[in-house]
Amino acid sequence: MKEFTRMSRLPPYVFQVVDALKMELRHKGEDIIDLGMGNPDIPTPKHIVDKLVEAARKGRNHRYSASAGITKLRLAIAKWYKRRFKVELDPDSEVIATIGAKEGLAHLVLATISPGDVVFAPNPTYPIHPYSVILAGGDLRSIPVGPDRDFFEDLATATKQTWPSPKMLIISYPHNPTTAVVDKAFFEKIVAFCRENDIIVIHDFAYADLVFDGYQPPSFLQIPGAKEIGVEMFSLSKSYSMAGWRVGFCVGNPNIVGALKRIKSYLDYGIFQPIQIASIIALNGPYDCVNEIVGIYCKRRDTLVDGLNRVGWSVEKPKGTMFVWAKIPEPYLKMGSIEFSKMLIKKARVAVSPGIGFGEYGDDYVRFALVENPHRIKQAIKGLKQVL
C-alpha cells in the first residue's frame, strides 16, 4: 500500500497509551476510575428526549434534511444569541448547524485553508484545533499558553516572525484543557490585532455555559468588528448533555459561514431531522436544566479540587469547563505526563489525560474530566493519596 500523505502528517495518538493500559487492567477485573476522556455522563434532559421520540415517530422526518440546518433551528440559534449575548444574527446568511462543533470546525478549516497557509493555535489546546489545520494541509504555528505567558506578546512575536503572514487564529475560551477564562477586554484586543493583521478568527465557545462562581463568559461576537473577521462555534454537547447527539453550530461572518455551508453541501445531508427538532426545544426551552447540569459539574469540581488539595496536590478551582488542569506534583515532574498518567492508573487505579496529548507545552500537567459522581471522585482521591 502507498503511504497516505495526510495520515502521515498526524502524530501518534498519545491518549492510546493510557487507554490501552486502562483496558488491560479492566480486563483483569480491576476497577479503574476513569477521569480521562471528557465524555459527559449526565443524561440529556427529559423534555428534549421526549421531543426527539415524538419527532422520530413521524415518517416525514426520516428523509434527507438540509445540510445547513432546518430553518426553525437556525432561527432558534439566532434567537438564543440575541437572548444570551445581545448579538444580532441573520439566520439565513450568518448561521449554520453542524454535526457537533468538532465536525464544523474541521470542515471550516478545510474550506478556508490552502496548503501552505499559516494558522495560529494555542499550545496546549483541544486536539482538533491544530489537527484540523494539519489535515487541511496548512502550516500550523503554536502560540504557547499558560500562567507564565503573555498571549498577546507571544502572538505579536509570532506574527512578526512568520512568513507568509498568518491567515487564521483558532482560540477557545473557556479553554480546554487549561480551563483559562477571559473577559471582554481580551476579545477587544484580539479583534483589534486580527483586523490590523488581516487574520480570520475562529472562536470555539463549547463551554459557554459550563462556568462557575459567578463568572459570565463573553461571546467573541459581542465585540464591535468581530463579525467582520471571524466566527464562533458552539456545541449542545455540554450545556444540554447532548454529546452523542452531535449538534453544534457556527455563526458570524457571512463569507466564512458561507464557505462552511458550501463545503457541507457536498459532504453531508445534515443532522437527522428529529435531532434538529429536539435541539430547537433545547435552545428555546427553559434554562433550568442547564443550571442543574452546571450545578452537578460544580459539585464534582469542588469534590475533586478540595480532595486533591487535602492530599497535598495543590490545584486551583477552575471557573469554567468540565475539567481540572493540574500541574504534576514536583517530585514526579521529571516523569512527564505520559509516565505519570500510567503510574496513576497502575498504582491509584485512576485514569487521567496526559497533558502532552494537548501539545508539548502541556507535558507538565494532567487533565481530570469531571465525568464521575462525587462518591467515585472521593474514591479516586483515596487512591491518589496512597500514591502521593
Side-chain angles (χ1 to χ4, degrees):
M1 292 292 290
K2 293 180 180 179
E3 186 181 79
F4 300 118
T5 305
R6 279 197 172 86
M7 295 302 98
S8 67
R9 293 193 75 198
L10 291 172
Y13 193 61
V14 299
F15 299 116
Q16 286 179 344
V17 177
V18 176
D19 288 343
L21 180 56
K22 176 181 69 182
M23 295 311 299
E24 179 189 330
L25 290 170
R26 279 183 169 170
H27 286 149
K28 292 178 180 177
E30 297 287 351
D31 179 23
I32 305 297
I33 302 170
D34 191 356
L35 302 176
M37 185 179 177
N39 193 357
D41 64 315
I42 304 167
T44 305
K46 183 178 182 299
H47 69 285
I48 302 172
V49 177
D50 288 346
K51 191 64 182 180
L52 170 72
V53 173
E54 177 192 317
R57 293 188 190 282
K58 297 176 180 177
R60 66 176 181 270
N61 291 327
H62 298 177
R63 306 176 70 187
Y64 289 132
S65 188
S67 61
I70 59 177
T71 301
K72 286 186 177 178
L73 176 56
R74 287 184 281 108
L75 280 167
I77 292 165
K79 288 178 181 177
W80 184 86
Y81 254 87
K82 188 171 183 180
R83 280 197 315 272
R84 289 290 308 279
F85 305 109
K86 296 185 170 51
V87 171
E88 296 276 356
L89 293 167
D90 181 336
D92 292 322
S93 64
E94 298 177 336
V95 176
I96 181 171
T98 61
I99 307 172
K102 192 174 183 179
E103 175 271 327
L105 193 146
H107 282 146
L108 177 55
V109 173
L110 185 63
T112 54
I113 294 301
S114 302
D117 284 345
V118 175
V119 179
F120 288 160
N123 185 333
T125 199
Y126 185 51
I128 195 60
H129 297 166
Y131 296 149
S132 63
V133 179
I134 292 168
L135 286 168
D139 186 357
L140 174 71
R141 305 292 171 87
S142 294
I143 309 294
V145 291
D148 56 343
R149 309 292 309 201
D150 184 319
F151 182 78
F152 288 99
E153 189 177 298
D154 289 334
L155 181 61
T157 300
T159 303
K160 288 175 184 175
Q161 294 175 347
T162 297
W163 183 260
S165 298
K167 185 173 183 178
M168 180 180 286
L169 170 67
I170 302 174
I171 52 175
S172 178
Y173 293 97
H175 186 246
N176 174 16
T178 70
T179 73
V181 295
V182 297
D183 55 15
K184 274 188 181 180
F186 178 91
F187 284 138
E188 286 168 356
K189 291 172 74 174
I190 288 286
V191 170
F193 183 88
C194 291
R195 288 179 76 181
E196 182 183 342
N197 291 279
D198 196 24
I199 298 173
I200 294 169
V201 177
I202 299 177
H203 179 233
D204 185 351
F205 205 20
Y207 296 94
D209 290 309
L210 260 60
V211 291
F212 318 111
D213 306 332
Y215 169 69
Q216 294 296 319
S219 162
F220 165 74
L221 294 177
Q222 286 178 297
I223 309 305
K227 205 189 288 186
E228 295 174 23
I229 57 165
V231 293
E232 194 158 68
M233 317 289 302
F234 180 77
S235 165
L236 276 69
S237 295
K238 284 75 181 181
S239 301
Y240 299 91
S241 210
M242 293 169 63
W245 298 52
R246 308 315 301 135
V247 188
F249 50 80
C250 174
V251 298
N253 182 275
N255 288 335
I256 300 172
V257 169
L260 179 56
K261 189 179 295 186
R262 188 171 184 197
I263 197 171
K264 280 176 66 64
S265 71
Y266 286 91
L267 293 171
D268 69 70
Y269 283 110
I271 307 159
F272 183 44
Q273 195 149 295
I275 291 177
Q276 294 191 59
I277 293 167
S279 299
I280 295 167
I281 297 301
L283 292 169
N284 288 341
Y287 209 67
D288 300 359
C289 61
V290 177
N291 290 332
E292 186 178 333
I293 289 167
V294 173
I296 291 170
Y297 282 118
C298 188
K299 186 175 181 181
R300 293 176 179 185
R301 176 204 68 164
D302 292 346
T303 303
L304 178 61
V305 175
D306 290 346
L308 289 174
N309 282 295
R310 199 165 52 246
V311 300
W313 191 343
S314 181
V315 179
E316 290 186 14
K317 288 183 179 178
K319 289 187 177 180
T321 78
M322 55 183 286
F323 306 109
V324 170
W325 184 241
K327 189 167 187 179
I328 298 170
E330 191 62 39
Y332 306 95
L333 201 53
K334 289 183 179 178
M335 293 178 71
S337 58
I338 292 180
E339 291 305 314
F340 182 70
S341 298
K342 287 164 67 177
M343 183 188 77
L344 294 188
I345 293 182
K346 291 175 183 175
K347 295 186 177 181
R349 298 297 189 259
V350 176
V352 297
S353 293
I356 199 170
F358 305 95
E360 63 269 27
Y361 289 98
D363 199 26
D364 287 348
Y365 293 81
V366 293
R367 192 194 71 176
F368 292 86
L370 303 171
V371 292
E372 289 278 10
N373 62 49
H375 173 74
R376 291 281 283 171
I377 291 172
K378 288 176 182 175
Q379 189 179 335
I381 295 296
K382 287 182 183 177
L384 293 170
K385 182 181 180 179
Q386 291 174 357
V387 174
L388 300 175

